[in-house]
Amino acid sequence: MTAHSNAPPSAAAPSVVVLDHPLVQHKLTRLRQATTSTAGFRRLTRELSLLMAYEATRDLPLETVDIDTPLERTQGHLLSGKKLCLVSILRAGNGILDGMLDLVPAARVGHIGLFRDPTTLEPIEYYMKLPDDIGERVCIVVDPMLATGHSAAAAIDRLKTAGARQIVFVCLLAAPEGVAHLAAAHPDVKIVTCAIDRELDDHGYIRPGLGDAGDRLFGTK
C-alpha cells in the first residue's frame, strides 16, 4: 500500500500520512454515502481498519529467528518485544478497534472514554483503563474522526502520563484544524488517516465528512 502526506499547508506536518490506495478511497466513498446502512457502515469501517493497520504498524521492530520449514532450516522475522496496545477512544473508536484486532489478535487493548462538551467542544473524561505495561508497547490510538483535535490530544496526554512513549493516531477522516491542533500538541505522534477534508462547520463537524461516526456505527440516530 502506498501512502503520502497531502495535508493542506495550514496542517502540513511530516508525521501526517494520508492513505491513497484505491481500495481505501473506494471504501471511504461508500462509507460517506448517506444511503449506506448501519450494517454496511460497520463492515466498511472494519475493512478500512485492516488497511489502516497495515500503515500504522509499518515501523514495528522485528527480530531474526531460526525456523524449520518442511524443506530446510532457515531464518525469518517475528515482531520483537511487547509489541502493541490498541487504545480506543469511546465509543466510536471500537468500530476501528474490532477490525485491527482481527489483524493483531494478541494486542493488548485500552479504552479512554471522552465526550465533547456541546458548548465549548472541549473533551471531558469519564473512563480510562490501560494495560500496566503500556510504556513497553507501541500504542495505536483509534477514533474515526479527528475534528477539533481536542479529544485526541487529551487522550494522548493521558497516555503519556500513564507512561506511553510510542504513539500512533489512526482515524478515518481528519479536518485541517484537527490535524494542526494534534500536531502542535504532540509533534512526536504520527497521524494515519484516509482523507483530510475541507473544514469544520460551526458545530465542530467535519465537512464534507460522513456524519456522526458513532451514531452510524451503532444505529443510534
Side-chain angles (χ1 to χ4, degrees):
M1 180 187 298
T2 57
H4 64 98
S5 176
N6 68 348
S10 62
S15 59
V16 180
V17 178
V18 181
L19 303 180
D20 63 356
H21 193 284
L23 284 176
V24 171
Q25 295 306 312
H26 169 82
K27 292 177 186 299
L28 178 60
T29 298
R30 296 277 305 278
L31 198 70
R32 290 184 188 271
Q33 290 177 298
T35 54
T36 297
S37 66
T38 298
F41 196 92
R42 287 181 192 146
R43 176 179 53 78
L44 288 163
T45 298
R46 198 181 194 102
E47 291 170 355
L48 280 165
S49 69
L50 292 169
L51 296 168
M52 292 189 295
Y54 179 92
E55 178 61 31
T57 58
R58 177 181 294 277
D59 299 323
L60 290 180
L62 295 171
E63 59 185 24
T64 301
V65 297
D66 295 320
I67 62 169
D68 293 307
T69 77
L71 299 178
E72 63 179 75
R73 192 159 182 79
T74 187
Q75 288 189 324
H77 300 91
L78 293 175
L79 292 175
S80 177
K82 291 282 190 165
K83 308 180 184 69
L84 286 176
C85 177
L86 303 176
V87 180
S88 171
I89 298 179
L90 299 174
R91 63 180 168 149
N94 284 355
I96 298 176
L97 173 67
D98 291 342
M100 288 197 172
L101 282 172
D102 288 342
L103 190 66
V104 281
R108 297 293 186 266
V109 175
H111 294 89
I112 298 179
L114 298 168
F115 68 89
R116 188 170 60 174
D117 185 283
T119 303
T120 66
L121 303 184
E122 292 295 321
I124 299 173
E125 179 185 324
Y126 63 89
Y127 181 81
M128 186 170 78
K129 185 71 172 178
L130 303 171
D132 292 336
D133 61 353
I134 196 166
E136 302 175 48
R137 297 177 180 273
V138 176
C139 295
I140 298 178
V141 182
V142 296
D143 195 7
M145 315 296 277
L146 179 58
T148 65
H150 293 163
S151 293
I156 292 169
D157 283 339
R158 288 153 175 79
L159 283 174
K160 288 184 175 180
T161 299
R165 293 175 292 174
Q166 295 177 272
I167 302 171
V168 180
F169 183 83
V170 176
C171 59
L172 295 170
L173 285 183
E177 297 91 333
V179 172
H181 182 84
L182 184 54
H186 298 286
D188 57 322
V189 173
K190 181 169 78 171
I191 300 168
V192 177
T193 186
C194 299
I196 298 177
D197 278 7
R198 185 180 69 250
E199 63 185 0
L200 292 179
D201 65 18
D202 293 339
H203 301 287
Y205 282 94
I206 299 174
R207 297 284 184 158
L210 49 75
D212 186 298
D215 283 338
R216 297 194 68 187
L217 276 166
F218 301 113
T220 50
K221 196 171 184 178

